[in-house]
Amino acid sequence: MTIKNILYIILVIILVLFSCKKETVKNVVPEEILSDEELYKIEQEELENYLLNNDDLINLGIIFPHKFVEKYGEENILYYHYYREWDDEVVGINYKYSRKLLLVKKSENEYYVLLEQYLIPFAEVIVLHTIARIDNDIFVFKTQDGWDNVIVGEFYFYGNIVVLKTDCEKSFNFTGRNFAGRHYSGDIYIIERGVL
């Protein structure tokens, strides 16, 4: 093989690699080119498609604890509460975290669920209202919060406590992902029975 042939082969390889790279770059659409409105539309389409294919997601709409009590009656509600407070000395912030779990027995296999949680100093209050169904002695649910997060949860009873776990299955926008990181980390909470 002559030097001329070797140079020709190298040139062909370089041209092929350059044209492949050019094609790849041409098909990439940087996010910053899309406007906020366009991104929002794409996120909403993704959410609609997801909801169409996930009929186990039950979102009963926003209802706050006092309305939940009015609707189902105080005598029918099992109430559980978790509260934790701690100081972050590095940034000088006092955190307060609360979870309220209100349950109404619909049948042996189903409960109406209201989960309200907040984290101070962050202002958001999250309220999930759904139905939990039994699956292998654990009640499971899938619902949606107000920031387009799909939340999966499970709980079981152990004496006067409930062992509760919530996680974010899917998030559909930046704000939702931000809140999901604060509120749905897959942690397990031991929630004690309380009085309304």
Side-chain angles (χ1 to χ4, degrees):
M1 193 178 284
T2 65
I3 293 179
K4 189 176 181 181
N5 287 346
I6 292 171
L7 289 174
Y8 178 75
I9 291 171
I10 291 172
L11 181 64
V12 168
I13 291 171
I14 290 171
L15 287 173
V16 168
L17 288 174
F18 181 76
S19 67
C20 289
K21 185 176 180 184
K22 192 174 179 184
E23 280 299 311
T24 304
V25 170
K26 193 177 2 176
N27 292 331
V28 171
V29 179
E31 264 191 48
E32 56 268 15
I33 292 176
L34 298 174
S35 70
D36 288 346
E37 201 171 286
E38 291 168 320
L39 280 174
Y40 177 77
K41 186 177 179 193
I42 290 168
E43 290 164 349
Q44 290 306 301
E45 286 172 0
E46 287 176 359
L47 176 60
E48 286 172 21
N49 288 336
Y50 179 89
L51 295 175
L52 283 173
N53 296 312
N54 287 271
D55 58 1
D56 58 339
L57 187 150
I58 301 170
N59 182 0
L60 298 179
I62 294 176
I63 183 171
F64 290 99
H66 68 283
K67 290 291 184 186
F68 189 85
V69 171
E70 283 177 22
K71 181 173 182 177
Y72 295 110
E74 191 172 327
E75 67 281 359
N76 298 316
I77 294 175
L78 299 172
Y79 174 72
Y80 296 85
H81 187 241
Y82 172 87
Y83 181 80
R84 181 174 169 231
E85 195 171 327
W86 70 98
D87 291 317
D88 185 337
E89 294 173 9
V90 175
V91 291
I93 296 176
N94 174 257
Y95 292 97
K96 296 173 184 170
Y97 186 69
S98 172
R99 279 188 172 212
K100 294 177 184 173
L101 180 65
L102 287 77
L103 302 172
V104 174
K105 191 173 190 175
K106 189 176 176 192
S107 73
E108 288 299 317
N109 300 323
E110 289 185 329
Y111 278 89
Y112 288 111
V113 176
L114 179 79
L115 177 61
E116 180 192 60
Q117 57 194 48
Y118 66 81
L119 175 61
I120 292 175
F122 305 107
E124 66 270 6
V125 174
I126 294 176
V127 179
L128 305 176
H129 183 206
T130 187
I131 293 175
R133 296 191 169 116
I134 199 159
D135 182 22
N136 294 326
D137 299 324
I138 295 176
F139 288 91
V140 296
F141 60 88
K142 184 191 284 190
T143 191
Q144 182 184 0
D145 72 7
W147 291 278
D148 294 340
N149 291 312
V150 175
I151 308 307
V152 290
E154 60 184 46
F155 64 89
Y156 62 89
F157 299 97
Y158 188 78
N160 275 340
I161 63 170
V162 162
V163 179
L164 171 71
K165 176 182 173 187
T166 55
D167 210 341
C168 183
E169 181 179 270
K170 195 159 174 60
S171 187
F172 290 93
N173 63 52
F174 176 78
T175 305
R177 283 189 286 278
N178 189 18
F179 289 156
R182 290 183 194 152
H183 289 281
Y184 315 112
S185 56
D187 292 339
I188 295 172
Y189 291 88
I190 308 299
I191 306 181
E192 294 182 1
R193 181 86 186 261
V195 179
L196 280 173

